[in-house]
Amino acid sequence: MSAPLSADRFIDALRAEGLTVVEVGGWRTHNRNHKGPWGPVHGVMLHHTVTHGTAFTVRLCRDGDEALPGPLCHGVITKDGRVHLVGHGRANHAGAGDSDVLAAVIAEKRLPPDHRADTDGNRYFYGFECENLGDGEDPWPAAQLDAMARASAALCRAHGWTARSVVGHLEWQPGKIDPKGFTMASMRTRVEERLK
């Protein structure tokens, strides 16, 4: 069981992993904590945005929309590999997912298929939205994939987790397909290499 990192420890962990971090507005206090608890945290969840363009993507992930208020993640990883911090605390990114998947993440074991949506993932996961159209054709630049691995590894390192604590939205919530265009197994291998 891990308490969420403070905002200072969060940004320090990302920078220590060699990432370029962009602080967006009052990210340190921008959250959905009034809607429920944040923590204990058990892992890192990766998403794709289904958007194009850095400015629009970052603004959407910070502010959300009428149907889903922001922040929609903690950090936005753009095509150039920069991490834009948009929130700290509970964020609208994971939604309800499978309690068996959460148990596997906590135990750092192989993930079972996600069959149900019975657990509040916004409470238990850090979230990174990654700029991509999510159509399986929009490329994932090397700088972006590297940044995704570094951001995930930074949080794993800070909490003493292994790469098994990094999951894709599609592994958590039935019906989700993100991130699309690479496998989460390959991403966990990247994270594992960084943690060595």
Side-chain angles (χ1 to χ4, degrees):
M1 207 156 55
S2 293
L5 297 178
S6 68
D8 285 342
R9 286 190 63 209
F10 182 73
I11 194 170
D12 287 349
L14 296 174
R15 287 178 171 152
E17 206 66 37
L19 289 159
T20 300
V21 179
V22 180
E23 299 184 66
V24 180
W27 71 272
R28 291 168 183 267
T29 57
H30 186 51
N31 57 57
R32 304 284 297 161
N33 289 357
H34 64 286
K35 290 295 185 180
W38 187 46
V41 288
H42 298 298
V44 179
M45 189 172 295
L46 299 176
H47 307 262
H48 64 228
T49 58
V50 195
T51 61
H52 177 73
T54 297
F56 172 76
T57 299
V58 171
R59 186 170 60 253
L60 176 65
C61 290
R62 184 192 186 284
D63 299 338
D65 58 29
E66 288 181 13
L68 192 66
L72 305 184
C73 58
H74 299 100
V76 182
I77 303 176
T78 50
K79 294 275 191 181
D80 59 7
R82 291 183 297 163
V83 181
H84 303 255
L85 298 184
V86 297
H88 182 262
R90 185 180 176 91
N92 274 336
H93 74 97
D98 196 308
S99 56
D100 290 338
V101 172
L102 181 62
V105 170
I106 293 169
E108 298 194 311
K109 295 185 175 178
R110 184 184 180 101
L111 298 179
D114 54 332
H115 293 302
R116 55 191 171 184
D118 62 356
T119 301
D120 173 18
N122 294 334
R123 175 179 185 173
Y124 296 117
F125 289 96
Y126 294 102
F128 290 100
E129 286 282 357
C130 307
E131 180 190 353
N132 191 276
L133 293 175
D135 58 5
E137 296 179 15
D138 190 15
W140 291 93
Q144 187 179 29
L145 290 170
D146 180 62
M148 292 162 69
R150 285 176 185 265
S152 300
L155 297 178
C156 288
R157 196 182 309 283
H159 286 286
W161 298 332
T162 72
R164 288 193 179 270
S165 293
V166 180
V167 301
H169 201 192
L170 76 170
E171 297 173 305
W172 167 248
Q173 190 175 62
K176 294 297 182 180
I177 64 167
D178 60 313
K180 188 173 183 178
F182 61 89
T183 67
M184 282 306 301
S186 69
M187 180 55 66
R188 282 188 283 270
T189 297
R190 286 172 177 263
V191 174
E192 189 174 3
E193 287 298 313
R194 288 218 54 86
L195 292 173
K196 284 182 179 175

